[in-house]
Amino acid sequence: MENRSNAPVSCSSAALPRLRVQHVVTSIVPEVMPIQGYHSSVLVGNIEYTFSCDGGVVISEGPESHEDLEAETTYIDLGVHAIDFGAFEAAILPHFEDGTYDLLRKNCNSFTDAAIQFLTGGRMDPKFRQLESIGKVADKYMSVVQVFSGGAYEPNALADGFQLERTIRAMRAERRRARSLQAAAEASAAAQTEPCAPRVPCLPPRLAPPRIVLPAMVAAMAGPRMLVAI
């Protein structure tokens, strides 16, 4: 994974790139089932972030995690935003460590919801989190879970302490902090780029030296010269 957090802030790099953010979603449960399940990721420009049972947070080029899914993939436009990749990764990675994935309680949708909060200040449409609601009534819908998990689902003890809303609050606070630091960096860069900004009074234009008119020039300036024959 590329580390984007160590880039120095300078006059030329203080302004963050503005990139389109998209919620990418693909159904993973047959439509005939009583409840739907989805695989989600977030696409920032052409960089995809998702959370997996194999590797934790996975970063790839393009919506790679959706390529092997049979259903049609949907792209939901979340607008264009200033993106600080380093701040985003530093904020979210500690909450979604490798080995803590749980199909019902801490999955790709949990991650995408938290990522959308940090990147845009919004939330994922709750209709894409139907599967997670099973966690509260697991016995009733366990047959659905076993269908698309191949009968392999078992709760992950490492996800026991995870609470999505608490993570969302953490992302909201980290977003405010990152935006405040960025505003300060941009102000500092602007000051370095324009050391004589408009707030510094402008000096008056330099006056031209007085013009000295010599006697010989007076006749030439008086009019055309007259020739007299003797």
Side-chain angles (χ1 to χ4, degrees), residues 96 110 113-114 123 129 162-169:
F96 293 90
S110 310
D113 200 0
R123 296 289 300 270
R129 303 194 71 253
F162 178 76
Q163 296 180 24
L164 177 59
E165 294 307 317
R166 182 173 61 190
T167 303
I168 292 294
R169 289 193 295 271

Side-chain angles (χ1 to χ4, degrees), residues 1-41:
M1 180 183 67
E2 180 184 359
N3 184 356
R4 305 180 182 85
S5 61
N6 296 326
V9 176
S10 65
C11 297
S12 59
S13 66
L16 295 175
R18 294 187 62 81
L19 301 172
R20 186 167 301 281
V21 178
Q22 298 177 83
H23 174 202
V24 187
V25 59
T26 306
S27 175
I28 57 174
V29 176
E31 294 183 359
V32 296
M33 302 302 290
I35 193 167
Q36 284 296 301
Y38 298 90
H39 168 61
S40 286
S41 65

Side-chain angles (χ1 to χ4, degrees), residues 2 4 19-22 24 41-50 58-64 83 85 88-89 119:
E2 180 184 359
R4 305 180 182 85
L19 301 172
R20 186 167 301 281
V21 178
Q22 298 177 83
V24 187
S41 65
V42 63
L43 198 61
V44 185
N46 195 42
I47 303 299
E48 181 192 48
Y49 289 84
T50 192
V58 178
I59 306 173
S60 59
E61 184 175 355
E64 185 176 294
I83 302 298
F85 286 102
F88 170 56
E89 293 174 12
L119 294 169

Side-chain angles (χ1 to χ4, degrees), residues 17-204:
R18 294 187 62 81
L19 301 172
R20 186 167 301 281
V21 178
Q22 298 177 83
H23 174 202
V24 187
V25 59
T26 306
S27 175
I28 57 174
V29 176
E31 294 183 359
V32 296
M33 302 302 290
I35 193 167
Q36 284 296 301
Y38 298 90
H39 168 61
S40 286
S41 65
V42 63
L43 198 61
V44 185
N46 195 42
I47 303 299
E48 181 192 48
Y49 289 84
T50 192
F51 184 52
S52 169
C53 60
D54 183 18
V57 175
V58 178
I59 306 173
S60 59
E61 184 175 355
E64 185 176 294
S65 68
H66 297 259
E67 290 180 354
D68 295 332
L69 301 178
E70 296 181 0
E72 182 178 356
T73 298
T74 300
Y75 295 79
I76 302 170
D77 187 8
L78 302 177
V80 176
H81 301 269
I83 302 298
D84 185 334
F85 286 102
F88 170 56
E89 293 174 12
I92 203 166
L93 292 182
H95 295 272
F96 293 90
E97 296 180 338
D98 187 15
T100 64
Y101 180 95
D102 185 283
L103 184 62
L104 295 183
R105 298 175 297 160
K106 187 179 181 182
N107 57 23
C108 59
N109 295 320
S110 310
F111 170 83
T112 300
D113 200 0
I116 289 173
Q117 170 61 217
F118 183 94
L119 294 169
T120 73
R123 296 289 300 270
M124 185 172 77
D125 190 327
K127 74 179 182 181
F128 295 116
R129 303 194 71 253
Q130 294 181 34
L131 187 61
E132 288 74 5
S133 66
I134 296 178
K136 299 179 181 178
V137 286
D139 292 338
K140 181 178 179 181
Y141 291 107
M142 189 54 66
S143 60
V144 179
V145 177
Q146 297 303 335
V147 165
F148 67 82
S149 69
Y153 173 68
E154 292 184 5
N156 184 354
L158 295 179
D160 286 350
F162 178 76
Q163 296 180 24
L164 177 59
E165 294 307 317
R166 182 173 61 190
T167 303
I168 292 294
R169 289 193 295 271
M171 292 301 100
R172 187 177 297 123
E174 289 293 338
R175 173 179 167 82
R176 286 196 298 264
R177 176 176 176 273
R179 287 164 66 89
S180 177
L181 291 174
Q182 180 58 29
E186 290 182 358
S188 176
Q192 295 178 44
T193 304
E194 298 290 343
C196 294
R199 63 178 178 273
V200 178
C202 296
L203 296 177

